[in-house]
Amino acid sequence: MVGDWIDLSTPGTVTIRTGKVELGQGVLTALVQIASETLALPAERIEIVSGITGATPNEGYTAGSLSIPHAGTAIEAACGTCISVMRDRVAASMGASPGDVTLSDGAFHCDGEQTDHTLWSLAEDIGLDFEVAEPAQPHRANRQPASLPRIDLARKLRGGGMIQDIRTPDMLHARVLRPPHLGARLMTDALSEDDRASLVIEGSFVAVVDDDPLRLTRRAQRMIPRLKWTGGTELTSGILRPDALAVLPGETIEIGEAAESSPDTGTVTARYERPYLMHGSIGCVTALAHWSEDGHLTVTSQSQGPYQLRDAIAVMMDLGLERVEVRHAAGAGCYGHNGADDVAADAALIARHFPGRTIRVMWTRAEEFAHAPLSTAGEVEISAGLNEAGRPDWMTLQIASGTHARRPGTAPSGTLLAELLRDEIETLSPPIELPEMHGLGGLRNAISPYGIPNQAAALKLVDQPGLRTSAMRGLGTHLNVFAIESFIDELARRANEDPLDYRLSLLEGEERASAVLRRVAERSGWADRPEGGDGTGWGIAYSRYKNRAAYVAMVAKISIDHDVRIEKLWCCADAGRVVNMDGVRNQIEGGIVQSMSWALYEEVGLTADETLPQSWEDYPILRFTNLPEIELEVVASPDPVPLGAGEVAVGPATAAIANAVADALGGPVRSLPLSREKVISALLET
């Protein structure tokens, strides 16, 4: 219903509601801009409410580059329907045609004369309980409006806009004391009566609570050595190796159409891999929970899926959905399933022990690294049969990967760490592959965008004992695009052709794909680049995220001395209809920066104490001193459909960098990250 998205109960102000949430990507600004343009109302007269269960629409997770394609189009359709219904009512009351009725600054005019009807007076008369009409497609020609300035930044810059800033008079601070390994159980017999009395203990869920956060930290530090644990899966360096996945038992899922036979002149095969990755958010996840005296639970969380988190907490605590409310508050930006849902469950479980008080839990850096879900490692073997022209007649991918989907909502229970600890669950829920309607998971972008007659991919979905993996920006796209685009470059070198020309020959008829490739080549001076192999290199890559989002092409220029250094990266993107250009540019540039970090630095390994990383010393990321110039062009597009931009850059950015490294070395580097050790190993193999 229109009233699910729009509230006109306050005269002079339009309140719009959305289930999508602000992660730092500027989505709320873009949604306000859509409402402002559709309603012909100044943006300052529009308020937005987001991510509150029971008060805003359930629009699923804020993920998959779908916020504008889903929530944006929904709000636009709701606003458009509202105007249309009200225009008809005004026309009927004036004895005029609906075409004679216009809307300006919230007031309706008929034949140029202002009437007594406004958005608010009509909403009071007829309500908003009518169905949102499906807009005609295309709804209008694409145009580029001026970007509305971000509506969330001023408060954040003043130190009041983040979940970590929230304080209440009744607040208690809590810290969960965690086992050393996934699946380990607490030996309660080893605790004294005084220890047990000072802790919140449910199964193997253990927490310390105090009204002073510094005293809480000291108490936790004193208590940790006194806890004894048994069982669980100890980690070894071998477990973290990507090639360890292929030997594990798992389910095989296939997509595409494999060739029955091929008159190829030879089969080419190559194997690519990437390691486990951490989210590495700068700010640690935080949540607040309040258990009221009448048994109602309110959770404030930075979760990307408030409804999904609500449902999971209700199951964990055996509560009816009507007794749980989740309210979103902005936290450190994160693309994917980090610890935000887990810390909310921590706070909820503790809150029931302290009715009437607000429980605040903020993870430490060590918890962020050691206990949040990881992005799975993966291995891809690509094979292709080449024809006489050096083009593939068929191509197959064999992928070994953990799951990219263990968020709340992917299983009936067991998706929250607090629930695993409380119920002493030793095994995780079975891994799943997302369906095609959600863009797939490990198979995302496993079918290339190129005109290859027969393409197929098979995913061996496995579970590595002792590790909890789930979603991170792009899911399987990052590995699959890195592998495919590296492989295409190798085929171009094999055919002794320019990598750009080779790609264009496989994209005949794909005008938008070819256009971004040609444009990025032109902007970067690709045709005039020097010959590689002397410590410098140039690489090019192309991808269309999920084969249905934005078209993105990249060129990277790198140099190699002791380490790989990115000198400059050019990007050209066609994102379809753009609502807020500043937001789109921020999303694509942010994806490039994160992809650079994955490409060059990030890799989960064990510390000297045989634990997962505990600090930034154990898990290096891209620093500002290593950030190159990024030149981005978002091309004007006639497409009236927004394609999404949040995750589109991660695959082609890493692929372009890897191809530039291969150009510099004279041979491929097929394993990420592109560290000094990997480069030396590739040189020895060349």
Side-chain angles (χ1 to χ4, degrees), residues 183-518:
R185 293 187 176 191
L186 177 69
M187 300 173 65
T188 53
D189 294 344
L191 292 173
S192 68
E193 289 188 15
D194 288 343
D195 285 341
R196 284 194 289 268
S198 67
L199 299 170
V200 173
I201 301 177
E202 293 194 29
S204 289
F205 179 89
V206 187
V208 184
V209 180
D210 205 296
D211 56 10
D212 181 86
L214 294 179
R215 187 167 59 234
L216 172 75
T217 299
R218 291 193 291 268
R219 287 182 57 200
Q221 289 172 342
R222 289 195 299 269
M223 183 61 65
I224 288 172
R226 306 217 295 266
L227 298 179
K228 305 300 179 185
W229 305 87
T230 182
T233 304
E234 293 193 22
L235 297 178
T236 65
S237 297
I239 286 177
L240 294 173
R241 290 174 54 91
D243 57 10
L245 294 166
V247 301
L248 293 172
E251 176 189 7
T252 298
I253 304 161
E254 299 179 346
I255 59 172
E257 296 183 7
E260 294 182 5
S261 61
S262 175
D264 56 79
T265 58
T267 298
V268 180
T269 300
R271 184 178 287 110
Y272 306 86
E273 63 182 30
R274 83 158 203 178
Y276 291 94
L277 300 175
M278 291 182 165
H279 291 274
S281 296
I282 299 301
C284 293
V285 292
T286 303
L288 295 88
H290 185 275
W291 181 269
S292 67
E293 299 290 350
D294 62 358
H296 184 272
L297 177 65
T298 301
V299 177
T300 304
S301 169
Q302 60 188 92
S303 170
Q304 291 178 238
Y307 276 93
Q308 290 68 32
L309 176 60
R310 178 203 64 177
D311 295 354
I313 287 177
V315 169
M316 178 183 76
M317 302 187 71
D318 195 23
L319 296 172
L321 295 180
E322 72 282 356
R323 293 176 61 189
V324 183
E325 179 184 73
V326 173
R327 305 176 66 90
H328 181 267
C334 176
Y335 289 80
H337 183 191
N338 66 344
D341 297 306
D342 292 322
V343 73
D346 292 343
L349 205 58
I350 298 167
R352 188 151 56 178
H353 293 261
F354 300 90
R357 303 294 296 271
T358 297
I359 300 298
R360 179 182 186 268
V361 181
M362 183 172 73
W363 278 15
T364 64
R365 174 60 55 196
E367 283 180 283
E368 286 268 332
F369 280 168
H371 299 285
L374 302 175
S375 179
T376 182
E379 184 178 62
V380 177
E381 181 176 279
I382 305 184
S383 298
L386 304 182
N387 58 30
E388 293 181 354
R391 303 297 188 270
D393 282 328
W394 57 268
M395 187 165 76
T396 63
L397 273 69
Q398 300 289 332
I399 305 165
S401 169
T403 184
H404 293 272
R406 271 212 176 90
R407 294 178 187 265
T410 59
S413 62
T415 57
L416 299 170
L417 194 55
E419 183 180 14
L420 298 177
L421 293 172
R422 185 199 63 182
D423 296 341
E424 297 185 324
I425 298 172
E426 295 186 13
T427 58
L428 300 171
S429 58
I432 69 165
E433 171 69 355
L434 292 172
E436 199 281 333
M437 67 177 290
H438 293 306
L440 303 170
L443 287 166
R444 186 170 292 184
N445 280 104
I447 301 298
S448 86
Y450 298 107
I452 299 172
N454 293 282
Q455 295 193 62
L459 168 67
K460 184 180 182 183
L461 187 61
V462 304
D463 237 354
Q464 182 62 271
L467 297 176
R468 191 167 60 123
T469 66
S470 194
M472 190 183 288
R473 195 176 201 166
L475 281 64
T477 286
H478 183 245
L479 171 60
N480 293 334
V481 172
F482 157 64
I484 290 171
E485 286 299 290
S486 296
F487 189 70
I488 292 294
D489 247 41
E490 293 182 43
L491 296 184
R493 284 195 295 272
R494 184 185 183 94
N496 198 28
E497 294 187 35
D498 183 293
L500 170 63
D501 296 336
Y502 190 89
R503 284 175 170 80
L504 292 173
S505 73
L506 295 173
L507 288 168
E508 291 184 4
E510 296 290 336
E511 295 181 4
R512 295 172 74 175
S514 299
V516 293
L517 270 165
R518 289 192 174 97

Side-chain angles (χ1 to χ4, degrees), residues 10 84 122 146 242 253 399 536:
T10 303
S84 178
L122 286 166
I253 304 161
I399 305 165
T536 63

Side-chain angles (χ1 to χ4, degrees), residues 589-671:
E589 289 172 359
I592 292 170
V593 171
Q594 187 166 27
S595 185
M596 289 177 179
S597 190
W598 292 348
L600 298 185
Y601 301 102
E602 297 189 40
E603 179 176 18
V604 176
L606 296 185
T607 67
D609 297 327
E610 296 296 305
T611 67
L612 289 172
Q614 305 288 301
S615 70
W616 293 114
E617 294 299 318
D618 305 324
Y619 190 76
I621 61 173
L622 181 74
R623 305 289 180 128
F624 281 107
T625 52
N626 300 117
L627 187 65
E629 179 185 356
I630 299 170
E631 187 175 310
L632 168 63
E633 179 181 7
V634 180
V635 300
S637 172
D639 190 347
V641 177
L643 299 180
E647 297 167 291
V648 300
V650 293
T654 286
I657 295 165
N659 287 337
V661 172
D663 181 52
L665 299 179
V669 183
R670 296 173 176 161
S671 179

